[in-house]
Amino acid sequence: MKKIILSTLVVGAAMQYASFAQVKKGWQPLFDGKTTNGWHAYLKSDAGAWKVVDGSLELDPKAPGQADLITDGEYENFELSVDWKIAEGGNSGIIFGVHEDSSLGATYLSGIEMQVLDNEKAEDNKKANHLAGSLYDLKAAPADAAKPAGQWNIAKIRKNNGQLTFWLNNKEVINVQIGSAEWTELMNNSKFKTWKDFAKYPKGHIALQSHGAVVDYKNIKIKQL
């Protein structure tokens, strides 16, 4: 019994030390693994159809109050790290630079998206720049960067003075500068070319997209730059 107690104490201390080490390096948790504190459904006061299940934020697509879940805080220059897994055939996204305003009915009208998708069976898998890890409808990530449905993926987004870099499962998949000639060309060839509010807010909320499928997010942390 003493050995079990000692082992438990050692593990607990190690986890606490790791948490302190991350904070010391500038990383701050955005999700405590237990509650939806720090988050709310877009244009709502509560978390809506999102709940905490086994230490992750999970969307129940059958529950009332369907809406993207967004951070209470707003961020401009940052590194964001998120683990995600999607149900078979599922679609979601990590959206940032979101301007919360009643005149904008959805987060994607202002925010930029890193796609979350089951590349194999989701309906939205017909275009390369709609696959998981992509800068949605703008620039494609490699098709083999994501793990299959039901498996955890590690996503990282870095936004610093308009420079966007995405990683998926420790592989760099996107690198582009907002406002560059490349960005302008990408915009002109996308659905966003006439959207007046898209990517116009350097500072904004971070959103987890509700798109009709069970999706889970955990280990959500941010380092402001």
Side-chain angles (χ1 to χ4, degrees):
M1 179 62 74
K2 289 182 179 180
K3 289 183 178 180
I4 293 174
I5 293 173
L6 181 60
S7 177
T8 301
L9 290 172
V10 170
V11 171
M15 291 176 66
Q16 188 176 40
Y17 177 80
S19 178
F20 287 155
Q22 286 187 347
V23 170
K24 189 173 181 180
K25 291 179 180 179
W27 288 97
Q28 296 289 336
L30 287 180
F31 170 50
D32 62 16
K34 300 176 182 178
T35 71
T36 56
N37 292 345
W39 297 81
H40 64 278
Y42 185 68
L43 298 177
K44 300 179 186 295
S45 59
D46 60 21
W50 295 81
K51 57 187 178 180
V52 180
V53 178
D54 296 331
S56 66
L57 285 168
E58 182 175 277
L59 174 70
D60 179 353
K62 297 181 180 179
Q66 295 294 314
D68 293 359
L69 190 68
I70 72 170
T71 55
D72 292 345
E74 296 184 76
Y75 306 92
E76 184 169 357
N77 296 314
F78 59 85
E79 287 185 8
L80 175 73
S81 182
V82 185
D83 294 356
W84 63 262
K85 68 175 179 178
I86 190 83
E88 186 175 292
N91 189 337
S92 183
I94 303 164
I95 305 174
F96 55 94
V98 173
H99 183 62
E100 189 175 24
D101 192 298
S102 58
S103 67
L104 298 171
T107 63
Y108 58 76
L109 294 177
S110 58
I112 301 165
E113 179 179 352
M114 182 189 201
Q115 174 75 308
V116 169
L117 196 77
D118 170 14
N119 285 349
E120 294 299 318
K121 296 187 178 181
E123 290 183 7
D124 195 19
N125 67 354
K126 308 303 186 295
K127 295 180 66 175
N129 60 16
H130 288 195
L131 297 180
S134 294
L135 177 60
Y136 181 73
D137 207 59
L138 290 164
K139 190 169 184 178
D144 61 354
K147 296 180 181 180
Q151 295 188 28
W152 285 103
N153 293 267
I154 302 171
K156 183 178 175 183
I157 296 170
R158 179 183 174 94
K159 177 179 175 286
N160 193 24
N161 297 319
Q163 184 71 39
L164 300 181
T165 312
F166 293 177
W167 292 264
L168 190 58
N169 298 317
N170 300 312
K171 179 179 182 179
E172 184 177 308
V173 292
I174 296 293
N175 198 315
V176 65
Q177 174 72 42
I178 295 174
S180 65
E182 180 188 13
W183 177 265
T184 299
E185 183 179 0
L186 292 171
M187 284 287 290
N188 287 337
N189 290 313
S190 76
K191 65 171 71 176
F192 307 119
K193 61 183 177 182
T194 60
W195 295 23
K196 65 183 182 64
D197 291 291
F198 180 78
K200 291 298 191 294
Y201 298 91
K203 186 175 184 178
H205 302 274
I206 295 166
L208 308 177
Q209 190 179 41
S210 166
H211 207 306
V214 175
V215 62
D216 289 84
Y217 295 93
K218 68 177 183 178
N219 296 331
I220 309 171
K221 57 187 178 180
I222 195 165
K223 178 166 66 175
Q224 299 197 64
L225 305 176

